[in-house]
Amino acid sequence: MRPEKYIKNYINGAFVPAESGEYFDNYNPATGQVYSHIPDSDERDVAKAVEAAKKAFPGWAKMATDKRFRILMRVADIIEQNLEAFARAESIDSGKPMAMSSTVDIPRSQSNFRFFATAIMHFSSESHHIAGEAINFTLRQPLGVVGCISPWNLPLYLFSWKIAPALATGNCVVAKPSELTPMTAFMLGQACAEAGLPPGVLNIVQGLGPKAGQAIVDHDDVKAISFTGGTATGRRILQTTSQTFKKASLELGGKNPNLIFADCDFDQMMVDTIRSSFSNNGQICLCGSRLYIQRPIYDKFKEEFVKRVQFLKVGDPFSSVTDLGALVSKAHMEKVMGYIALAEVEGGTVLCGGKPVDVPGEYEQGYFLRPTVIEGLNNECRTNQEEIFGPVVTIQPFDTEEEAIALANGVKYGLASTVWTQDISRANRVAEQLQAGIVWVNCWMLRDLRTPFGGVKESGMGREGGLEALRFFTEPKNVCIKY
Ligand code: NAD
């Protein structure tokens, strides 16, 4: 698998330029330099991709399950054999440390293919017997051509999280990665071709969201959209899909709370809270960005947390000692810095960070920011209400359990929450009342791919993961036979 300077679309098993013949620039965020070019696709490329997918669908849907299983397992094997190349490409494209792309992003992308390849071998449907009269059974059939659209923060990880279950259930796919991180999706096309995936089963259209992405959502023959990205984009997609009754699964933004009670295991909490705040530069939808600490340990927490955050190393994504690489783009860096400035206007105190980092040499034009901790803000201010999606957290004290729950729930989002306490009854009480799709108790980002994954309120609609994904990508049809 190899990156190329001029990235191509992958349509009907071939690597082709966009119909427009145009490309736009792809930046390496650690150097701030253009290093490759992305096809500027539009509705013509999407139409070609949908045609190829429609043609491939009958054969793929009817293929014996164990044959589909073998092909998807081969895709996983090829990613694994090329882990170094994929991880390097992911880090160049996104700015994240190679230490992360090689241990998290790419291993998880292989797991996604393995998990859903094996899951389909065990997927079954229900039957309902009317005693002495009839039997109902449920057919679970693939939808046809489906669209998968993913963001830049965990590029191949989230792209494959959608594509693998869609393919495993017998659908053909038109997929679009983020225009900020196109390279590993392009390489996935190479892996699929090598694995023997029949032409047209997976088509990867590169390009801009409002142009190529919207064309996938708009296309009449695309039966479902699986989308991960920002809430504003999700709202726009839902407006379109609601007009045509297309199935939609929307995994959107978050503003996740960490509730840290005084009785927690302080040392473990501290290690995991550093991770949940600043992994991938805070650019994980599951990162906790609002830290609520019970008053008796607030000062101790603040002192220790700030001290450790100041030790985090920011810089060269390819150095083994780097904790935080570059932010994904100049525009995103400016957005995050805008929020830090806003926090100060809103009365917040920056306890550490808040400034860009000068990394000398080839990285001096890169988008590096110091991890930032802010205190002194109320829950209603924009800094605590809006998703920043960068290396920025706020800390606030609380007194009672009820107050902590009210603070945690006091935003429009509801994706993930983290609770730190040694009191098992409290953990259960709080988990029950938190408005979130995922609650972690005494851990963070411990993932079991069988569990439902998704958010409530403006964090999304529908669930991914395990059986939920297999159900989303199939249409249940009840057959009733009287005897
Ligand atoms: P984004 O919404 O800007 O883009 C996501 C994808 O949608 C990209 O591929 C983009 O090209 C495409 N797109 C943009 N406009 C479109 C349109 N009109 N029609 C179709 N496609 C369109 O999001 P982003 O900036 O790439 O990602 C960051 C966001 O993703 C954050 O809000 C983050 O919380 C969220 N996110 C959520 C989850 C989750 O599981 N809930 C996971 C990761 C990221």
Side-chain angles (χ1 to χ4, degrees), residues 194-328:
E194 192 179 315
L197 192 75
V201 169
L202 170 63
N203 303 275
I204 300 171
V205 179
Q206 303 271 0
L208 298 169
K211 215 196 243 185
Q214 187 69 42
I216 298 173
V217 178
D218 286 342
H219 200 295
D220 286 340
D221 293 332
V222 173
K223 301 299 177 203
I225 297 293
S226 174
F227 170 80
T228 300
T231 295
T233 315
R235 185 172 284 118
R236 188 175 171 146
I237 289 175
L238 191 57
Q239 278 161 2
T240 310
T241 55
S242 65
Q243 296 306 304
T244 47
F245 303 102
K246 243 173 232 189
K247 248 179 155 177
S249 161
L250 304 173
E251 303 296 337
L252 310 176
K255 187 76 181 172
N256 305 316
N258 291 24
L259 306 190
I260 300 169
F261 288 91
D263 65 358
C264 69
D265 173 342
F266 191 85
D267 294 341
Q268 189 60 49
M269 175 279 296
M270 187 54 66
V271 170
D272 281 341
T273 304
I274 297 280
R275 282 178 55 237
S276 72
S277 302
F278 300 114
S279 287
N280 205 35
N281 252 321
Q283 302 169 139
I284 301 180
C285 56
L286 305 167
C287 279
S289 56
R290 296 179 290 139
L291 313 187
Y292 300 106
I293 303 103
Q294 208 165 19
R295 205 172 301 272
I297 59 164
Y298 183 80
D299 289 338
K300 180 180 170 196
F301 173 89
K302 173 173 146 183
E303 191 184 329
E304 183 65 24
F305 186 65
V306 169
K307 191 170 88 194
R308 292 201 195 193
V309 172
Q310 284 170 326
F311 273 121
L312 293 173
K313 295 228 167 1
V314 184
D316 179 0
F318 294 96
S319 159
S320 60
V321 297
T322 294
D323 296 299
L324 284 76
L327 274 76
V328 75

Side-chain angles (χ1 to χ4, degrees), residues 58-69:
W60 182 247
K62 288 205 185 87
M63 184 182 279
T65 309
D66 80 318
K67 211 166 157 203
R68 272 207 310 265
F69 156 84

Side-chain angles (χ1 to χ4, degrees), residues 149-154 158 176-180 207-210 212-215 217 227-231 233-234 236-237 251-254 284-286 387 389 415 453 459 464:
I149 301 174
S150 60
W152 49 260
N153 62 322
L154 297 166
L158 291 174
K176 194 193 90 61
S178 168
E179 54 271 45
L180 294 175
L208 298 169
Q214 187 69 42
V217 178
F227 170 80
T228 300
T231 295
T233 315
R236 188 175 171 146
I237 289 175
E251 303 296 337
L252 310 176
I284 301 180
C285 56
L286 305 167
E387 184 181 43
F389 213 53
L415 188 53
F453 180 91
S459 288
E464 297 186 312

Side-chain angles (χ1 to χ4, degrees), residues 8-255:
K8 302 282 186 304
N9 289 332
Y10 176 59
I11 297 177
N12 204 22
F15 294 92
V16 292
E19 288 287 301
S20 67
E22 302 292 327
Y23 289 85
F24 57 93
D25 293 336
N26 188 25
Y27 285 80
N28 173 340
T31 62
Q33 305 301 314
V34 173
Y35 85 102
S36 64
H37 306 277
I38 308 169
D40 189 5
S41 310
D42 58 30
E43 69 284 353
R44 291 171 291 172
D45 305 279
V46 170
K48 273 175 59 188
V50 173
E51 269 322 298
K54 277 169 63 182
K55 214 166 105 223
F57 176 65
W60 182 247
K62 288 205 185 87
M63 184 182 279
T65 309
D66 80 318
K67 211 166 157 203
R68 272 207 310 265
F69 156 84
R70 277 167 210 270
I71 295 174
L72 296 178
M73 291 294 271
R74 265 207 301 278
V75 174
D77 290 344
I78 293 169
I79 297 173
E80 186 171 18
Q81 287 150 14
N82 293 275
L83 186 142
E84 164 89 18
F86 271 102
R88 180 161 283 279
E90 202 72 294
S91 284
I92 293 173
D93 232 10
S94 66
K96 71 177 67 195
M98 178 87 175
M100 178 173 182
S101 52
S102 61
T103 58
V104 179
D105 293 72
I106 307 307
R108 172 59 190 275
S109 308
Q110 311 157 21
S111 301
N112 289 338
F113 277 99
R114 291 214 174 91
F115 178 81
F116 286 110
T118 50
I120 197 64
M121 298 291 280
H122 303 272
F123 190 40
S124 59
S125 61
E126 311 85 40
S127 79
H128 301 89
H129 186 205
I130 306 172
E133 193 176 356
I135 182 89
N136 290 279
F137 62 88
T138 309
L139 286 177
R140 284 211 161 257
Q141 296 172 302
L143 305 175
V145 180
V146 298
C148 297
I149 301 174
S150 60
W152 49 260
N153 62 322
L154 297 166
L156 192 61
Y157 174 133
L158 291 174
F159 199 53
S160 54
W161 180 232
K162 300 179 172 305
I163 289 171
L167 295 179
T169 42
N171 298 282
C172 290
V173 175
V174 178
K176 194 193 90 61
S178 168
E179 54 271 45
L180 294 175
T181 51
M183 194 60 89
T184 50
F186 169 63
M187 292 164 68
L188 176 67
Q190 297 173 335
C192 289
E194 192 179 315
L197 192 75
V201 169
L202 170 63
N203 303 275
I204 300 171
V205 179
Q206 303 271 0
L208 298 169
K211 215 196 243 185
Q214 187 69 42
I216 298 173
V217 178
D218 286 342
H219 200 295
D220 286 340
D221 293 332
V222 173
K223 301 299 177 203
I225 297 293
S226 174
F227 170 80
T228 300
T231 295
T233 315
R235 185 172 284 118
R236 188 175 171 146
I237 289 175
L238 191 57
Q239 278 161 2
T240 310
T241 55
S242 65
Q243 296 306 304
T244 47
F245 303 102
K246 243 173 232 189
K247 248 179 155 177
S249 161
L250 304 173
E251 303 296 337
L252 310 176
K255 187 76 181 172

